[in-house]
Protein backbone atom coordinates (compact mmCIF):
# COMPACT_ATOMS: atom_id res chain seq x y z
CA UNK A 1 0.00 0.00 0.00
CA UNK A 2 1.36 3.44 -0.87
CA UNK A 3 -0.15 6.44 0.88
CA UNK A 4 -0.25 9.90 -0.68
CA UNK A 5 2.58 12.21 0.29
CA UNK A 6 0.00 14.60 1.74
CA UNK A 7 -0.80 11.97 4.37
CA UNK A 8 2.83 11.17 5.08
CA UNK A 9 3.51 14.85 5.67
CA UNK A 10 0.38 15.45 7.72
CA UNK A 11 1.23 16.12 11.37
CA UNK A 12 -1.04 14.45 13.96
CA UNK A 13 -3.70 16.92 15.16
CA UNK A 14 -2.38 18.60 18.32
CA UNK A 15 -5.26 17.62 20.56
CA UNK A 16 -5.40 14.03 19.35
CA UNK A 17 -1.89 13.60 20.76
CA UNK A 18 -2.75 15.38 24.01
CA UNK A 19 -5.98 13.36 24.45
CA UNK A 20 -4.05 10.15 23.80
CA UNK A 21 -1.52 11.00 26.51
CA UNK A 22 -4.28 11.86 28.99
CA UNK A 23 -6.14 8.61 28.20
CA UNK A 24 -2.94 6.56 28.74
CA UNK A 25 -2.32 8.17 32.12
CA UNK A 26 -5.95 7.78 33.22
CA UNK A 27 -5.89 4.12 32.13
CA UNK A 28 -2.97 3.64 34.55
CA UNK A 29 -5.15 5.08 37.33
CA UNK A 30 -3.50 8.52 37.45
CA UNK A 31 -5.71 11.43 38.44
CA UNK A 32 -5.23 13.95 35.62
CA UNK A 33 -6.57 17.51 35.64
CA UNK A 34 -6.76 18.96 32.15
CA UNK A 35 -6.71 22.62 31.21
CA UNK A 36 -6.05 21.62 27.62
CA UNK A 37 -9.03 21.60 25.28
CA UNK A 38 -11.49 24.44 24.72
CA UNK A 39 -14.57 22.27 24.92
CA UNK A 40 -17.32 23.73 27.15
CA UNK A 41 -18.01 21.53 30.19
CA UNK A 42 -21.39 23.23 30.77
CA UNK A 43 -24.19 21.30 28.99
CA UNK A 44 -26.12 22.65 26.00
CA UNK A 45 -29.03 24.73 27.41
CA UNK A 46 -32.23 22.68 27.97
CA UNK A 47 -34.48 24.65 25.55
CA UNK A 48 -32.05 23.80 22.71
CA UNK A 49 -31.96 20.10 23.63
CA UNK A 50 -35.78 20.03 23.92
CA UNK A 51 -36.07 21.32 20.35
CA UNK A 52 -33.49 18.78 19.15
CA UNK A 53 -35.41 15.89 20.75
CA UNK A 54 -38.68 17.09 19.29
CA UNK A 55 -37.18 17.42 15.80
CA UNK A 56 -35.57 13.98 16.10
CA UNK A 57 -39.07 12.46 16.48
CA UNK A 58 -40.19 13.85 13.13
CA UNK A 59 -39.53 11.37 10.27
CA UNK A 60 -39.04 14.20 7.75
CA UNK A 61 -35.80 14.90 9.64
CA UNK A 62 -34.56 11.33 9.19
CA UNK A 63 -33.68 11.83 5.54
CA UNK A 64 -30.74 13.43 3.71
CA UNK A 65 -30.47 17.13 4.46
CA UNK A 66 -29.58 19.72 1.77
CA UNK A 67 -25.97 20.95 1.65
CA UNK A 68 -27.24 24.55 1.81
CA UNK A 69 -29.09 23.81 5.08
CA UNK A 70 -32.74 24.54 5.87
CA UNK A 71 -33.85 27.96 4.58
CA UNK A 72 -35.17 28.64 8.11
CA UNK A 73 -31.67 28.05 9.52
CA UNK A 74 -30.06 30.38 6.99
CA UNK A 75 -32.66 33.00 7.91
CA UNK A 76 -32.01 32.44 11.63
CA UNK A 77 -28.28 33.00 11.03
CA UNK A 78 -28.94 36.16 8.99
CA UNK A 79 -31.34 37.38 11.71
CA UNK A 80 -28.76 36.78 14.42
CA UNK A 81 -26.09 38.73 12.49
CA UNK A 82 -28.55 41.62 12.01
CA UNK A 83 -29.51 41.73 15.72
CA UNK A 84 -26.03 41.13 17.10
CA UNK A 85 -23.86 43.17 14.72
CA UNK A 86 -26.24 45.21 12.56
CA UNK A 87 -24.95 43.29 9.51
CA UNK A 88 -27.47 42.50 6.73
CA UNK A 89 -27.01 39.23 4.89
CA UNK A 90 -28.85 37.62 2.00
CA UNK A 91 -29.88 34.33 3.62
CA UNK A 92 -29.73 32.46 0.30
CA UNK A 93 -26.47 33.77 -1.11
CA UNK A 94 -24.42 35.04 1.81
CA UNK A 95 -25.01 32.37 4.46
CA UNK A 96 -23.95 28.73 4.52
CA UNK A 97 -24.40 26.40 7.52
CA UNK A 98 -21.45 24.10 8.22
CA UNK A 99 -20.88 20.78 10.00
CA UNK A 100 -19.04 22.75 12.67
CA UNK A 101 -16.88 25.65 11.51
CA UNK A 102 -13.78 23.42 11.42
CA UNK A 103 -15.29 21.60 8.45
CA UNK A 104 -15.74 24.80 6.42
CA UNK A 105 -12.32 26.15 7.47
CA UNK A 106 -10.79 22.93 6.20
CA UNK A 107 -12.67 22.88 2.91
CA UNK A 108 -12.38 26.52 1.86
CA UNK A 109 -8.71 26.03 1.01
CA UNK A 110 -9.90 23.79 -1.85
CA UNK A 111 -11.72 26.80 -3.32
CA UNK A 112 -8.67 29.06 -3.42
CA UNK A 113 -5.45 27.16 -3.14
CA UNK A 114 -3.87 25.42 -6.12
CA UNK A 115 -0.51 23.68 -5.78
CA UNK A 116 2.16 26.34 -5.26
CA UNK A 117 -0.25 29.02 -4.01
CA UNK A 118 0.23 30.73 -0.67
CA UNK A 119 -2.14 31.41 2.21
CA UNK A 120 -1.21 34.00 4.83
CA UNK A 121 -1.69 32.34 8.20
CA UNK A 122 -1.11 33.73 11.69
CA UNK A 123 1.47 32.10 13.97
CA UNK A 124 0.49 31.02 16.59
CA UNK A 125 -2.93 29.92 15.36
CA UNK A 126 -5.67 27.33 15.33
CA UNK A 127 -3.84 24.62 13.33
CA UNK A 128 -6.54 24.04 10.69
CA UNK A 129 -5.69 27.20 8.67
CA UNK A 130 -2.23 25.93 7.79
CA UNK A 131 -3.10 22.24 7.55
CA UNK A 132 -5.94 22.87 5.08
CA UNK A 133 -3.59 25.02 2.99
CA UNK A 134 -1.04 22.21 2.91
CA UNK A 135 -3.65 19.55 2.10
CA UNK A 136 -4.72 21.65 -0.90
CA UNK A 137 -1.09 21.65 -2.11
CA UNK A 138 -0.36 25.21 -1.06
CA UNK A 139 2.08 26.79 1.35
CA UNK A 140 1.29 28.73 4.48
CA UNK A 141 3.24 31.95 4.99
CA UNK A 142 3.30 32.57 8.70
CA UNK A 143 2.54 36.05 10.00
CA UNK A 144 4.00 36.31 13.53
CA UNK A 145 1.59 37.33 16.27
CA UNK A 146 3.65 38.95 19.00
CA UNK A 147 2.70 40.64 22.22
CA UNK A 148 4.34 43.97 21.30
CA UNK A 149 1.83 44.22 18.44
CA UNK A 150 -1.18 43.14 20.52
CA UNK A 151 -0.99 39.73 18.78
CA UNK A 152 -2.18 41.36 15.52
CA UNK A 153 -0.28 40.51 12.31
CA UNK A 154 1.98 43.22 10.91
CA UNK A 155 0.58 43.27 7.38
CA UNK A 156 3.22 45.73 6.15
CA UNK A 157 5.97 43.26 7.06
CA UNK A 158 4.78 40.65 4.52
CA UNK A 159 7.33 40.60 1.66
CA UNK A 160 6.13 41.66 -1.81
CA UNK A 161 7.14 38.36 -3.43
CA UNK A 162 4.93 36.49 -0.92
CA UNK A 163 2.01 38.81 -1.55
CA UNK A 164 2.25 38.06 -5.29
CA UNK A 165 1.61 34.36 -4.63
CA UNK A 166 -0.84 34.79 -1.78
CA UNK A 167 -4.54 34.24 -2.39
CA UNK A 168 -6.02 33.85 1.09
CA UNK A 169 -5.53 35.78 4.32
CA UNK A 170 -6.58 34.14 7.62
CA UNK A 171 -7.33 36.12 10.77
CA UNK A 172 -9.05 35.14 14.02
CA UNK A 173 -10.35 37.48 16.77
CA UNK A 174 -11.07 37.01 19.65
CA UNK A 175 -8.00 34.90 19.11
CA UNK A 176 -7.16 31.32 19.86
CA UNK A 177 -4.68 30.72 21.47
CA UNK A 178 -3.57 34.22 22.56
CA UNK A 179 -7.10 35.50 23.47
CA UNK A 180 -6.17 38.84 21.83
CA UNK A 181 -8.96 41.03 20.49
CA UNK A 182 -9.23 43.25 17.41
CA UNK A 183 -11.25 46.39 16.76
CA UNK A 184 -13.00 47.77 13.70
CA UNK A 185 -9.96 49.88 12.73
CA UNK A 186 -7.91 46.73 12.36
CA UNK A 187 -10.63 45.00 10.34
CA UNK A 188 -10.96 48.07 8.08
CA UNK A 189 -7.20 48.00 7.52
CA UNK A 190 -7.40 44.28 6.62
CA UNK A 191 -10.10 45.01 4.00
CA UNK A 192 -8.01 47.80 2.51
CA UNK A 193 -4.92 45.56 2.42
CA UNK A 194 -6.86 42.68 0.85
CA UNK A 195 -8.24 44.98 -1.85
CA UNK A 196 -4.74 46.30 -2.57
CA UNK A 197 -3.27 42.82 -2.96
CA UNK A 198 -6.23 40.89 -4.39
CA UNK A 199 -6.60 38.60 -1.38
CA UNK A 200 -9.67 36.78 -0.13
CA UNK A 201 -10.04 37.17 3.63
CA UNK A 202 -11.27 34.46 5.97
CA UNK A 203 -12.03 35.77 9.43
CA UNK A 204 -12.68 33.10 12.03
CA UNK A 205 -14.76 34.44 14.93
CA UNK A 206 -16.21 31.60 17.02
CA UNK A 207 -15.42 33.34 20.33
CA UNK A 208 -17.31 36.59 19.70
CA UNK A 209 -19.89 35.69 22.35
CA UNK A 210 -17.51 34.38 25.02
CA UNK A 211 -16.64 37.71 26.61
CA UNK A 212 -15.87 39.26 29.97
CA UNK A 213 -16.06 42.59 31.81
CA UNK A 214 -18.82 43.82 29.48
CA UNK A 215 -16.66 43.63 26.34
CA UNK A 216 -18.58 43.21 23.04
CA UNK A 217 -16.46 42.20 20.02
CA UNK A 218 -17.26 43.51 16.54
CA UNK A 219 -17.72 41.27 13.51
CA UNK A 220 -15.30 41.42 10.57
CA UNK A 221 -18.45 41.81 8.48
CA UNK A 222 -18.94 45.28 10.01
CA UNK A 223 -15.79 46.55 8.29
CA UNK A 224 -16.34 48.74 5.21
CA UNK A 225 -16.27 46.56 2.11
CA UNK A 226 -15.75 43.29 4.05
CA UNK A 227 -18.43 41.53 2.04
CA UNK A 228 -16.64 42.35 -1.22
CA UNK A 229 -13.50 40.48 -0.25
CA UNK A 230 -14.17 38.09 2.58
CA UNK A 231 -16.16 35.78 4.74
CA UNK A 232 -16.52 35.16 8.45
CA UNK A 233 -16.65 31.70 9.97
CA UNK A 234 -18.69 31.37 13.12
CA UNK A 235 -19.99 28.57 15.25
CA UNK A 236 -22.61 27.57 17.76
CA UNK A 237 -20.01 25.44 19.53
CA UNK A 238 -18.69 27.96 22.01
CA UNK A 239 -21.63 30.41 22.21
CA UNK A 240 -24.18 27.73 23.16
CA UNK A 241 -22.00 24.84 24.39
CA UNK A 242 -22.78 22.83 21.27
CA UNK A 243 -19.37 21.45 20.31
CA UNK A 244 -20.71 17.89 20.21
CA UNK A 245 -23.57 18.67 17.84
CA UNK A 246 -21.30 19.95 15.10
CA UNK A 247 -22.89 23.05 13.72
CA UNK A 248 -21.40 26.32 12.53
CA UNK A 249 -21.69 28.74 9.66
CA UNK A 250 -19.88 30.95 7.20
CA UNK A 251 -21.27 34.29 6.04
CA UNK A 252 -20.21 37.05 3.69
CA UNK A 253 -19.01 37.20 0.09
CA UNK A 254 -21.53 35.39 -2.15
CA UNK A 255 -18.91 34.14 -4.63
CA UNK A 256 -16.78 32.60 -1.87
CA UNK A 257 -19.86 31.05 -0.25
CA UNK A 258 -20.99 29.62 -3.59
CA UNK A 259 -17.55 28.07 -4.24
CA UNK A 260 -17.56 26.43 -0.80
CA UNK A 261 -21.11 25.17 -1.35
CA UNK A 262 -19.95 23.55 -4.61
CA UNK A 263 -17.07 21.76 -2.86
CA UNK A 264 -19.26 20.67 0.04
CA UNK A 265 -22.13 19.42 -2.10
CA UNK A 266 -19.64 17.02 -3.67
CA UNK A 267 -18.16 15.86 -0.37
CA UNK A 268 -20.82 15.89 2.33
CA UNK A 269 -24.57 15.64 2.67
CA UNK A 270 -25.26 18.46 5.06
CA UNK A 271 -26.11 18.75 8.75
CA UNK A 272 -28.65 16.37 10.35
CA UNK A 273 -31.91 18.34 10.32
CA UNK A 274 -32.75 17.83 13.99
CA UNK A 275 -29.47 19.58 14.78
CA UNK A 276 -30.38 22.39 12.39
CA UNK A 277 -33.66 22.91 14.29
CA UNK A 278 -31.71 22.96 17.56
CA UNK A 279 -29.46 25.65 16.05
CA UNK A 280 -32.49 27.72 15.00
CA UNK A 281 -33.72 27.53 18.60
CA UNK A 282 -30.29 28.57 19.88
CA UNK A 283 -30.06 31.57 17.57
CA UNK A 284 -33.64 32.79 17.88
CA UNK A 285 -34.53 31.76 21.46
CA UNK A 286 -33.50 33.34 24.75
CA UNK A 287 -29.88 34.49 24.79
CA UNK A 288 -29.70 34.59 28.61
CA UNK A 289 -27.56 31.45 28.68
CA UNK A 290 -24.66 33.34 27.10
CA UNK A 291 -24.42 35.77 30.04
CA UNK A 292 -24.77 32.89 32.49
CA UNK A 293 -21.95 30.88 30.88
CA UNK A 294 -19.73 33.93 30.63
CA UNK A 295 -20.19 34.66 34.35
CA UNK A 296 -18.93 31.13 35.11
CA UNK A 297 -15.95 31.49 32.76
CA UNK A 298 -15.10 34.93 34.15
CA UNK A 299 -14.97 33.58 37.72
CA UNK A 300 -12.69 30.77 36.55
CA UNK A 301 -10.55 33.23 34.59
CA UNK A 302 -10.00 35.33 37.70
CA UNK A 303 -9.09 32.32 39.87
CA UNK A 304 -6.63 30.97 37.27
CA UNK A 305 -5.00 34.35 36.58
CA UNK A 306 -4.46 34.90 40.27
CA UNK A 307 -2.67 31.59 40.77
CA UNK A 308 -0.64 31.83 37.54
CA UNK A 309 0.71 35.26 38.41
CA UNK A 310 1.58 34.01 41.91
CA UNK A 311 3.58 31.09 40.59
CA UNK A 312 5.56 32.99 37.97
CA UNK A 313 3.49 32.19 34.87
CA UNK A 314 2.74 35.77 33.94
CA UNK A 315 -0.69 36.19 32.32
CA UNK A 316 -3.15 39.02 31.61
CA UNK A 317 -6.90 38.50 32.11
CA UNK A 318 -8.43 38.01 28.66
CA UNK A 319 -11.43 40.11 27.57
CA UNK A 320 -12.78 37.25 25.46
CA UNK A 321 -12.27 33.62 24.33
CA UNK A 322 -11.96 30.51 26.45
CA UNK A 323 -8.20 30.77 26.95
CA UNK A 324 -5.46 32.15 29.11
CA UNK A 325 -2.12 32.63 27.35
CA UNK A 326 0.52 32.48 30.04
CA UNK A 327 4.26 33.07 29.77
CA UNK A 328 6.46 30.17 30.81
CA UNK A 329 9.04 30.94 33.52
CA UNK A 330 12.65 31.47 32.54
CA UNK A 331 14.61 28.31 31.90
CA UNK A 332 11.68 26.39 30.43
CA UNK A 333 10.43 25.82 26.91
CA UNK A 334 6.67 25.47 26.57
CA UNK A 335 7.05 21.71 26.03
CA UNK A 336 9.37 21.37 29.07
CA UNK A 337 6.86 23.11 31.27
CA UNK A 338 3.86 21.15 29.94
CA UNK A 339 5.78 17.88 30.36
CA UNK A 340 6.91 18.70 33.91
CA UNK A 341 3.41 19.69 34.97
CA UNK A 342 1.95 16.51 33.54
CA UNK A 343 4.60 14.19 34.95
CA UNK A 344 5.01 15.85 38.35
CA UNK A 345 1.47 16.91 39.28
CA UNK A 346 -0.84 15.42 36.63
CA UNK A 347 -1.90 18.81 35.26
CA UNK A 348 -2.30 19.26 31.50
CA UNK A 349 -1.64 22.61 29.81
CA UNK A 350 -1.10 23.06 26.08
CA UNK A 351 2.43 24.03 24.99
CA UNK A 352 2.28 27.24 22.97
CA UNK A 353 4.68 25.91 20.35
CA UNK A 354 1.92 23.47 19.30
CA UNK A 355 0.23 26.49 17.68
CA UNK A 356 3.33 27.62 15.81
CA UNK A 357 6.88 28.77 16.31
CA UNK A 358 5.80 32.10 17.80
CA UNK A 359 3.78 30.29 20.45
CA UNK A 360 7.06 29.26 22.07
CA UNK A 361 7.43 30.83 25.50
CA UNK A 362 3.74 30.42 26.33
CA UNK A 363 1.30 27.78 27.50
CA UNK A 364 -2.46 27.88 26.97
CA UNK A 365 -4.97 27.09 29.71
CA UNK A 366 -8.63 26.63 28.90
CA UNK A 367 -11.52 27.90 31.03
CA UNK A 368 -13.71 24.92 30.16
CA UNK A 369 -12.72 22.91 33.20
CA UNK A 370 -15.37 21.97 35.79
CA UNK A 371 -15.10 24.00 39.02
CA UNK A 372 -14.01 21.09 41.26
CA UNK A 373 -11.25 20.05 38.85
CA UNK A 374 -10.22 23.69 38.51
CA UNK A 375 -9.76 24.07 42.27
CA UNK A 376 -7.78 20.82 42.40
CA UNK A 377 -5.62 21.83 39.43
CA UNK A 378 -4.87 25.28 40.87
CA UNK A 379 -3.98 23.82 44.25
CA UNK A 380 -1.57 21.40 42.54
CA UNK A 381 -0.01 24.29 40.58
CA UNK A 382 0.53 26.32 43.77
CA UNK A 383 2.02 23.26 45.51
CA UNK A 384 4.30 22.60 42.55
CA UNK A 385 5.57 26.16 42.73
CA UNK A 386 6.31 26.08 46.48
CA UNK A 387 8.13 22.74 46.17
CA UNK A 388 10.19 24.14 43.32
CA UNK A 389 10.96 27.33 45.25
CA UNK A 390 12.06 25.32 48.33
CA UNK A 391 14.16 23.06 46.13
CA UNK A 392 15.85 26.11 44.58
CA UNK A 393 16.47 27.68 48.00
CA UNK A 394 18.22 24.58 49.35
CA UNK A 395 20.47 24.20 46.28
C1 LIG B 1 -10.29 29.48 16.39
C2 LIG B 1 -11.20 28.33 16.20
N1 LIG B 1 -11.85 28.21 15.05
C3 LIG B 1 -12.68 27.18 14.83
C4 LIG B 1 -12.88 26.20 15.77
C5 LIG B 1 -13.78 25.05 15.44
O1 LIG B 1 -15.02 25.11 16.05
P1 LIG B 1 -16.21 24.18 15.60
O2 LIG B 1 -15.73 23.28 14.49
O3 LIG B 1 -16.61 23.43 16.79
O4 LIG B 1 -17.27 25.12 15.09
C6 LIG B 1 -12.20 26.27 16.99
C7 LIG B 1 -12.37 25.22 17.99
O5 LIG B 1 -11.72 25.14 19.00
C8 LIG B 1 -11.34 27.37 17.20
O6 LIG B 1 -10.66 27.51 18.34
Amino acid sequence: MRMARRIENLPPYLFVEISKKIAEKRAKGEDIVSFAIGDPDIPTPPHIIARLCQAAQDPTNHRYPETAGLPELRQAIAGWYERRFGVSLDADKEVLPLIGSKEGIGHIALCFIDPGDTALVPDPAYPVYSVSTTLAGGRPYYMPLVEENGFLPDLDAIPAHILKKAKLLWINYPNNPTSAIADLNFFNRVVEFAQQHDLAVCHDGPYSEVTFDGYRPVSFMQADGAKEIGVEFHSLSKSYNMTGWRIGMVVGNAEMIDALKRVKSNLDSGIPQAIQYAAIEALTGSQDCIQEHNAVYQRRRDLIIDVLNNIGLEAKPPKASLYIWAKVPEGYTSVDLATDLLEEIGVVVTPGVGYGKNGEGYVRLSLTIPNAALVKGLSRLSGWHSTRSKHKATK
Side-chain angles (χ1 to χ4, degrees):
M1 195 188 289
R2 287 169 301 147
M3 293 281 178
R5 269 195 299 279
R6 78 173 66 83
I7 289 293
E8 279 166 11
N9 297 335
L10 191 62
Y13 192 63
L14 178 62
F15 286 106
V16 171
E17 290 300 288
I18 293 175
S19 299
K20 211 164 96 189
K21 231 182 213 175
I22 297 174
E24 280 165 12
K25 296 240 169 223
R26 285 190 175 142
K28 284 193 224 151
E30 289 181 42
D31 178 24
I32 302 297
V33 176
S34 176
F35 289 90
I37 301 174
D39 184 0
D41 58 303
I42 310 167
T44 309
H47 66 287
I48 301 175
I49 296 296
R51 184 70 188 95
L52 173 73
C53 294
Q54 187 193 31
Q57 300 287 351
D58 179 351
T60 53
N61 295 327
H62 299 178
R63 310 190 67 193
Y64 281 126
E66 296 287 345
T67 300
L70 291 163
E72 301 92 302
L73 174 58
R74 294 198 306 274
Q75 273 148 19
I77 294 169
W80 183 79
Y81 259 84
E82 180 75 57
R83 286 190 301 282
R84 171 66 180 87
F85 299 114
V87 167
S88 301
L89 297 165
D90 178 326
D92 291 329
K93 298 195 177 113
E94 296 173 340
V95 174
L96 180 63
L98 299 168
I99 314 168
S101 62
K102 184 179 184 181
E103 175 265 304
I105 292 168
H107 283 141
I108 202 159
L110 297 175
C111 305
F112 285 92
I113 303 295
D114 286 316
D117 288 343
T118 295
L120 306 172
V121 174
D123 172 357
Y126 180 60
V128 189
Y129 316 139
S130 57
V131 169
S132 59
T133 305
T134 314
L135 283 175
R139 283 213 195 123
Y141 172 82
Y142 293 106
M143 304 177 290
L145 301 189
V146 293
E147 189 174 5
E148 299 78 78
N149 211 21
F151 298 108
L152 300 173
D154 180 359
L155 300 174
D156 297 324
I158 304 169
H161 71 278
I162 296 292
L163 283 169
K164 263 197 201 137
K165 290 186 290 185
K167 290 167 93 177
L168 263 189
L169 167 63
W170 281 101
I171 47 172
N172 157 229
Y173 295 95
N175 185 258
N176 175 14
T178 67
S179 73
I181 53 177
D183 61 11
L184 206 48
N185 285 338
F186 173 72
F187 287 153
N188 282 330
R189 167 80 187 106
V190 168
V191 173
E192 198 187 344
F193 184 80
Q195 282 165 339
Q196 240 168 14
H197 299 285
D198 193 19
L199 298 166
V201 177
C202 292
H203 176 247
D204 185 19
Y207 298 100
S208 76
E209 305 314 293
V210 186
T211 63
F212 315 117
D213 309 324
Y215 171 63
R216 295 279 278 167
V218 288
S219 161
F220 176 66
M221 284 299 128
Q222 290 172 259
D224 298 330
K227 232 197 250 182
E228 283 146 42
I229 50 87
V231 289
E232 179 163 85
F233 288 88
H234 211 297
S235 176
L236 281 82
S237 286
K238 321 284 173 164
S239 312
Y240 303 102
N241 301 341
M242 289 177 71
T243 50
W245 303 112
R246 310 309 303 132
I247 186 151
M249 65 272 208
V250 58
V251 307
N253 183 270
E255 212 181 326
M256 293 174 73
I257 300 264
D258 184 57
L260 184 56
K261 206 185 305 177
R262 277 162 61 190
V263 168
K264 279 174 56 57
S265 60
N266 282 286
L267 292 179
D268 69 58
S269 299
I271 305 154
Q273 279 187 186
I275 295 174
Q276 296 192 48
Y277 282 111
I280 295 170
E281 177 62 33
L283 294 165
T284 59
S286 164
Q287 303 295 297
D288 292 351
C289 56
I290 294 184
Q291 298 283 351
E292 290 159 19
H293 304 155
N294 288 348
V296 173
Y297 294 137
Q298 186 168 324
R299 270 197 305 277
R300 293 178 183 170
R301 174 199 73 168
D302 293 343
L303 287 171
I304 299 176
I305 288 282
D306 214 31
V307 169
L308 291 181
N309 284 321
N310 276 334
I311 67 168
L313 272 73
E314 197 190 305
K316 293 199 179 97
K319 287 249 173 279
S321 89
L322 290 171
Y323 310 110
I324 291 176
W325 191 232
K327 282 190 187 155
V328 304
E330 239 181 75
Y332 281 98
T333 66
S334 60
V335 170
D336 286 345
L337 180 66
T339 307
D340 277 11
L341 293 179
L342 178 61
E343 296 305 330
E344 292 172 22
I345 54 168
V347 167
V348 186
V349 300
T350 317
V353 75
Y355 300 93
K357 185 162 80 120
N358 288 285
E360 186 48 275
Y362 294 88
V363 288
R364 195 196 77 170
L365 285 86
S366 164
L367 304 177
T368 58
I369 172 168
N371 293 338
L374 174 92
V375 169
K376 193 197 284 185
L378 292 181
S379 135
R380 288 188 193 176
L381 284 169
S382 300
W384 173 80
H385 177 67
S386 13
T387 318
R388 232 173 38 118
S389 310
K390 272 189 219 138
H391 183 65
K392 261 194 190 158
T394 52
K395 260 198 193 166

